[in-house]
Amino acid sequence: SDAEGSVTFALLQPGPYTVRATLQGFQDYQSSRNVVSADRTTAVRVTLKLSAAKESIVVIGETPLVDKTNTSDTTVVSSQLTDKLAIGRGYQNLVTFAPGVIDATGGGNPNSHGALSGNNLYLFDGVDTTDVTTGTFGQNFNFEAIQEVDVSTTGISAEYGRAQGAVVNVITKSGTNQFAGSYKILVTNDNWNAQNKGTNPISGNPFARTKDNTNVYDYNYTLGGPVWQDHIWFFGAYQTETDHLAQ
């Protein structure tokens, strides 16, 4: 701890944490559900009270809406939210959840507050994956292996000096001390989508298209767990697709 008694834990994986404090002659303190997110500081104020007898204090933490130590405008899109939304399964589709970010072409390279589509910075767990030639996203990833996507648009720290647009940080999932996995099948069919409407103003031809009545099955598997309790974990994700002509 420093001179004021503050303790800093750096480089923590995003997720909920429990903080415990014990000192002889004082009541034990415990604060749970303190959520750590990328590019944010989670503060836990610990107050130890004198105790003649052995007692403990248990506090349920709350995620602060405003990070007083960070001036950047950051939008966090977690997997708990995206699993419940009907959206395209790619982290590029989550970038436009941030205010001021628009993807007019639908190509996955949006404009942030008027900046060019090639002015964004794309990171995976803090590692720069931006295409060095075009400045656009240079890496795709299995959607089931993404824990959250953080999009910073204004007031960005100097450590991201090369970005004039948005800073997109994709945080991947990690194993824990418990074995856990998932199995998911997603089915899509162009025939279930709405028909294009309207006509070409120049040629007069309709925008209606011929639909492909084919079921596309997307199989997704994940598995994670401990290799060495509290020290080493593993996590893996696998995805494959098949298609069958619908009857």
Side-chain angles (χ1 to χ4, degrees):
S1 62
D2 59 18
E4 298 180 352
S6 298
V7 179
T8 301
F9 298 93
L11 302 177
L12 295 178
Q13 278 285 109
Y17 286 83
T18 296
V19 178
R20 299 184 182 90
T22 59
L23 186 64
Q24 186 175 4
F26 291 84
Q27 299 176 11
D28 292 346
Y29 179 92
Q30 176 176 311
S31 177
S32 59
R33 302 180 189 174
N34 300 286
V35 178
V36 173
S37 300
D39 294 323
R40 284 178 176 266
T41 300
T42 300
V44 180
R45 185 175 296 277
V46 177
T47 301
L48 297 181
K49 298 181 180 180
L50 288 172
S51 176
K54 185 65 175 180
E55 297 182 17
S56 62
I57 299 176
V58 178
V59 178
I60 303 300
E62 296 182 357
T63 304
L65 297 177
V66 178
D67 182 2
K68 298 179 181 178
T69 65
N70 193 344
T71 61
S72 65
D73 184 4
T74 301
T75 300
V76 179
V77 186
S78 67
S79 58
Q80 287 83 358
L81 174 62
T82 58
D83 284 344
K84 302 176 182 178
L85 298 178
I87 58 175
R89 293 175 56 77
Y91 72 88
Q92 299 89 344
N93 297 313
L94 309 182
V95 180
T96 54
F97 279 45
V101 180
I102 300 174
D103 186 3
T105 64
N109 292 292
N111 304 93
S112 174
H113 293 284
L116 298 176
S117 59
N119 292 148
N120 301 319
L121 176 63
Y122 296 90
L123 308 170
F124 272 77
D125 294 326
V127 178
D128 190 346
T129 61
T130 311
D131 189 294
V132 296
T133 302
T134 63
T136 56
F137 74 86
Q139 178 68 40
N140 278 309
F141 206 71
N142 189 316
F143 196 73
E144 291 295 321
I146 295 176
Q147 178 170 331
E148 66 182 40
V149 176
D150 299 344
V151 185
S152 300
T153 54
T154 59
I156 301 172
S157 173
E159 63 185 294
Y160 305 116
R162 67 169 296 274
Q164 296 176 329
V167 174
V168 181
N169 195 3
V170 180
I171 308 299
T172 60
K173 293 180 179 179
S174 172
T176 65
N177 281 334
Q178 295 181 340
F179 287 99
S182 64
Y183 172 59
K184 183 185 298 182
I185 301 177
L186 304 174
V187 184
T188 58
N189 189 318
D190 185 38
N191 202 39
W192 302 342
N193 299 324
Q195 181 60 271
N196 294 336
K197 299 179 180 180
T199 58
N200 188 309
I202 299 177
S203 65
N205 295 326
F207 289 134
R209 70 188 188 283
T210 301
K211 295 185 180 182
D212 183 12
N213 189 22
T214 301
N215 291 340
V216 179
Y217 296 87
D218 188 357
Y219 302 91
N220 298 270
Y221 313 83
T222 66
L223 180 64
V227 176
W228 180 13
Q229 288 279 346
D230 297 325
H231 292 83
I232 302 175
W233 308 269
F234 75 92
F235 180 85
Y238 179 74
Q239 177 180 357
T240 184
E241 287 186 356
T242 60
D243 57 270
H244 302 282
L245 183 64
Q247 300 297 322

